[in-house]
Amino acid sequence: MNTLFFSRIGLFLYAFLLIIKANGQAGDALADSLKRELSKAKADSNQVKLLMDLGNQVGYYDAAAAMKYAQQGLTLSKKINYRLGQARTHYLMGNTYLDLGNYRQSKIHLDEAEQLFSALKRPDMLGKIQNARGNWSYMQSDLQSAAYHYTRAVETFHALKDTALEIFPYQNLIASLGETKNHEKAIAMSKRLLKLVQKRGDSLQMAYSYNYLINNYLALNQMDSAQKYVTDLLRFIQSSMDLGLAADSYNVIGLYHFKRQAYHQAIANYQLALDKALRGQYQTAQYYHALGRTYLRLNALDSAYLYLRKAETQALVANTKDVYYRICHDLGSYFAKKEDYSQAYRYLQEYTKLNDSILVAETRHYTAYLEAAFENSKKETEILQLKTAELQKDLAIKKRNNYLIVTLGLLALGGIFFGLKVRNDQTRRKLLEQDKKLQAEKILSLEKEQQVSSLQSMITGQESERNRIAKDLHDGLGGLFSTVKMYFSTLQHEQPILGENPLFQKSMELTHTASVELRRIAHNLMPEVLMKLGLINAIQDLCNNINTSRLLNISLQAYGMEKRLNPNTEIMLYRIVQELLNNIIKHAQATEAIIQFNQHQERLNITIEDNGQGFNANEDNTGAGLSTIKSRVNYLNGALNIDSTQGVGTTVMMEFVLES
Amino acid sequence: MTNILVIDDHPLITDGIKTMLAAHMEIVVAASVKTAKEALVLLEQRTFDIILLDISLPDGDGLTLCAEIRKTNKQSKIIGLSSTNETGIITQFLQRGGNGYLLKNMERQELIEAIEQVQVGKIYLCKGANEKILEQYRNIDVATQQVPVLTRRETEILQLLNEGLTGPQIAKQLFLSPLTVETHRKNLMQKFNANNAQMLLKLARQNRLIE
C-alpha cells in the first residue's frame, strides 16, 4: 500500500514567523538576550514586539512557552490598545495551537487575527493567514480545503508581487498534491519550482523541493531518481541551521534506505531525525513510527513495539489522524506477529475506519481542483519571475545601504545590551531578517493598491475542464454518431429492402439513441446557450425543459439583467440555480416555483421560491447539495439566506455585488 | 439543380452529407469549407442556393456568421446545423436570418425535406426544435401579460406597506433586518416599474394584488 510509505513533510508552519533559523543553542542565546531586553522595556508597543520575537523564537521548540509570551503580549496590547500587536499575537497563537493539535483554539485565533489584519489593511498578513488555514486543513487531512487556502495565499502574495512569500504556499500545494497520490504531477511541479528557487539562490526552498522530489519518487518506487536528490539534500542538511527541515530531511532519507531494504541505515537516519526534531509531537510521532516500522521489518519485535507505542502516544497528543492511522496499521501487524489476534483486530479495525474516512474521500475529485489551481498560479509565476528580477536589481542598491544602517544600529544596541555575547553570525542573520522585512515592505508599498483576486481560478479550472469535455463530446463522438446515422439512412435509401430488416432498424435506432444521450450529457456539462447567449437565456432554457417534463411549473422573472455578466459569474450562478432546482425537484414535492433576478446597478438579488413541504433550515443534515451551493455563493462573495416553513415552502435569497 | 455549400469544420459530417445527397438528381454539394473566413471569401465569388451552416465553427460561431452573410446575401437559404437543440440558440439563429435548423443526427429524408421546404420560402425546423420553440412561446405569453408574479415575502411586505407601515416597522413585525425589507421593496418597485411607494401601491391595486 503506497500511502503507508509516503511520509509527511513538515509544512511551513513557523516559516512566516521565524525568519531567523537558529540552532537550539544559538536560539537559546538569542532568547536569553531578548528576555533581558524585555525586563528593561517599558509597557509599550516595543514590549509587545519583544514578546512576539520571544514567542517566535521559542515557538520552534517550546510551544507552551511561546503560548505564554503570546498571552502576555495579547494582554499588554489590549491594555495599550495596540492593534497591530493584538493581530500579531493572535496569529502566533493560532499557529502555536495548530502545532499543538488544538484545532478549535487555533481557528478562533486565526479568525481574530484575520479580522484585525483586514481592518489594518495588511494583505501580506492575510496571505499568511490563508497559508496557516491551509495548514490547519492539511493537518486534518482535508486536502480540498487546504488546496483552497493555499491557492488563496498564492494569489494574495502574487498580487503583492512578493515571490519570496509566494513560494511558501506553493510548496504546501505541492505537498497536497503528493498526498493525493498525484506523484507525477507533484514531481513536475517541484522541478519547475526548484529551477525558480535555484535562480533565486534560496537554499532553504531548494531543500524543501529536494524533500518533496525524493518523497514522490519513492512513492513511485523510482529509486534511482530519488537517489540523485538524496545527495543534494544531505549536502544541504550538513550546512544548514534549519532544524525542523533537517529532521524532515533525515526522515525522508531514512525512508529512502527503508525502501532499499537497507534497514540499519534507515534506522540511523530516523534516529538523526528524532534528535533534530523540534516541532513537538507531530514530528516525533512520525519518526517514532518510522523506527517502529523498520524494526518490525527486521523482526526485532520488542524494539518495534517500544517505538510504535511511543508513536501512538505522541500522535494522540498531537491529535493528528493521518499519522495515527498509519501507526494503527503497524501496531496491528505487530500484534498479528505476536499472535495476539484480538489486539491485532482492534488496531486493524481502527486503521480501516480511519483509512476509509481519510483516503477514499474522492481523492480524484481533489485532484482536479489541485491541478486547476496549479495551472492558474503557474502561468502567473512565470510572468512574475521577470518582474521580480527587475525589482531585485533596484533592491540590491538599497540592500547595501540597509546593511550599513542596520549594522551600525545593531552594533550600538549590541554594545549596550548584550556586549559580546551576541555572536557574529546571529547579528548577520538578524540583519538578513531586517533586510528581508525592508524588502517585503518596499515591495508592499509599491503595490499597495493591488486587490486580491478571489478564488475564481479553481472553479474556473473546473468549469473550463467541463467546457472542454463538452466540446470534445460534441465535436468528436457527436460527429461520429451523426455520420454513422447519415450513412445508415443513405444505405436504407439505396437498399430499400433493409428497411424491413429488424436488425438494421435496431442498429439505426440505437445510433440515434446514443447520439441523443451524448447530447444530453454534453448539455449537462456545459449548456451551449449559456456560453453563447448568457445566463437568463440559459436559465429560461432550463426552465422550459423542466416545465415540459411537468415535474414542476417554474416562472422566471428577470429585471435589470439586459447586459451580460462576467462569464465566470454566469457559470457559477447557473450552477447555483441548477442545483437549487434539482433540490426542489428531488426533495420539496412542490408544484410551483419562482425564479427571480433583480439587478440594481452592481447589486444582484436572486430569489428562488417553491411551494413544497419545506424543511428545517437550522438542522445540519441539509445534504451535500446545499453545501455546494453555499460554497459557490461564498466564492462569489455573496450572501445566502434560506427561509423555510414546513407545509408552506422554501425561499432562498441570494445577494451578490457584481464586479464592474 | 440546387447548389449547396456546406460550412462545417468536421470532415466526417461534410462527407456524410455528401453521401446522403449523392444519389439525389436535383441536389448537389457544390463546395464545402471548414472555417467562417473561408466561407466569406468563397461567398464573395460564388452564389449558392442553400448554405448548410454549422453553429460552432473553429473561428467564430455560426450565429454571427449567419448575420454576416445576410448583410450582403439575401437570396441564399441558410440552414443551421447543430449538435444541440437548445431553444435560445435556435431562435437566435432564425432572428439572424436563418431559414431552417437541423440537428446533425438527421436522416436523409429529413435533410431533403428541409432543403425542399426552405427553397419554397418556408421555415424548416427539426422535430425536436419545433416542440421546444412552442414551449418557449407559451412562456413568453405568460411574460407578456406583464403582471409580475410575487414571492411570499413580497406579498407580505406589499400588504404591510398598504397598511401604512414603514420599512423599519415592517422589519420588526416580520423579524427581518431593515436591509432585507429595503431589498424586497426595491425589487417590488423594479418589478412594477414604479418610481416610489405610492406608485407601487397604486399599480398593485390596479392589478388586484392588494385591496
Side-chain angles (χ1 to χ4, degrees), chain B:
Chain B
M1 186 66 88
T2 307
N3 281 322
I4 293 190
L5 166 65
V6 181
I7 309 173
D8 195 317
D9 62 314
H10 214 294
L12 270 176
I13 296 290
T14 312
D15 196 47
I17 292 171
K18 282 183 184 160
T19 312
M20 286 196 284
L21 297 176
H24 201 286
M25 291 301 160
E26 301 298 318
I27 306 172
V28 60
V29 177
S32 64
V33 292
K34 289 184 178 176
T35 63
K37 211 169 145 192
E38 286 175 273
L40 287 170
V41 173
L42 184 65
L43 282 166
E44 271 178 24
Q45 301 155 3
R46 291 178 61 180
T47 51
F48 298 88
D49 301 310
I50 307 271
I51 299 170
L52 292 176
L53 169 56
D54 184 6
I55 296 294
S56 12
L57 289 169
D59 59 339
D61 72 281
L63 297 180
T64 321
L65 182 59
C66 182
E68 191 70 21
I69 294 172
R70 273 289 174 255
K71 276 186 194 162
T72 52
N73 178 336
K74 313 279 183 209
Q75 304 87 35
S76 301
K77 308 292 181 192
I78 307 178
I79 300 176
L81 282 181
S82 167
S83 39
T84 66
N85 61 342
E86 293 167 18
T87 336
I89 307 265
I90 303 172
T91 44
Q92 282 293 321
F93 185 72
L94 297 181
Q95 270 171 27
R96 287 166 205 217
N99 303 82
Y101 193 92
L102 277 172
L103 284 178
K104 281 188 182 172
N105 66 349
M106 61 199 160
E107 289 176 22
R108 180 176 188 274
Q109 202 44 49
E110 201 177 4
L111 174 65
I112 290 168
E113 199 184 326
I115 291 171
E116 284 168 357
Q117 296 267 331
V118 297
Q119 262 191 314
V120 297
K122 288 186 182 162
I123 297 277
Y124 182 88
L125 295 180
C126 58
K127 200 166 143 278
N130 260 321
E131 287 162 10
K132 292 202 135 211
I133 295 215
L134 281 177
E135 180 66 31
Q136 197 183 36
Y137 279 120
R138 199 180 66 84
N139 277 306
I140 288 170
D141 273 355
V142 176
T144 47
Q145 285 167 8
Q146 294 282 324
V147 182
V149 182
L150 298 190
T151 67
R152 281 189 292 275
R153 244 342 155 208
E154 285 170 347
T155 315
E156 274 178 321
I157 289 171
L158 196 62
Q159 292 287 0
L160 294 173
L161 278 173
N162 194 34
E163 287 167 24
L165 268 66
T166 65
Q169 285 169 335
I170 294 174
K172 217 170 173 186
Q173 182 155 351
L174 296 178
F175 305 107
L176 293 173
S177 90
L179 221 66
T180 313
V181 175
E182 182 56 23
T183 306
H184 283 297
R185 206 177 55 87
K186 263 199 205 151
N187 289 351
L188 275 168
M189 304 231 290
Q190 192 177 39
K191 286 168 93 164
F192 283 92
N193 201 10
N195 297 323
N196 53 46
Q198 291 316 312
M199 193 171 164
L200 169 67
L201 290 173
K202 194 178 140 201
L203 287 166
R205 244 173 255 133
Q206 277 175 13
N207 286 309
R208 295 168 191 280
L209 290 166
I210 45 175
E211 302 272 302

Side-chain angles (χ1 to χ4, degrees), chain A residues 95 157 361 489 512:
Chain A
N95 273 306
F157 294 135
S489 73
H512 177 77

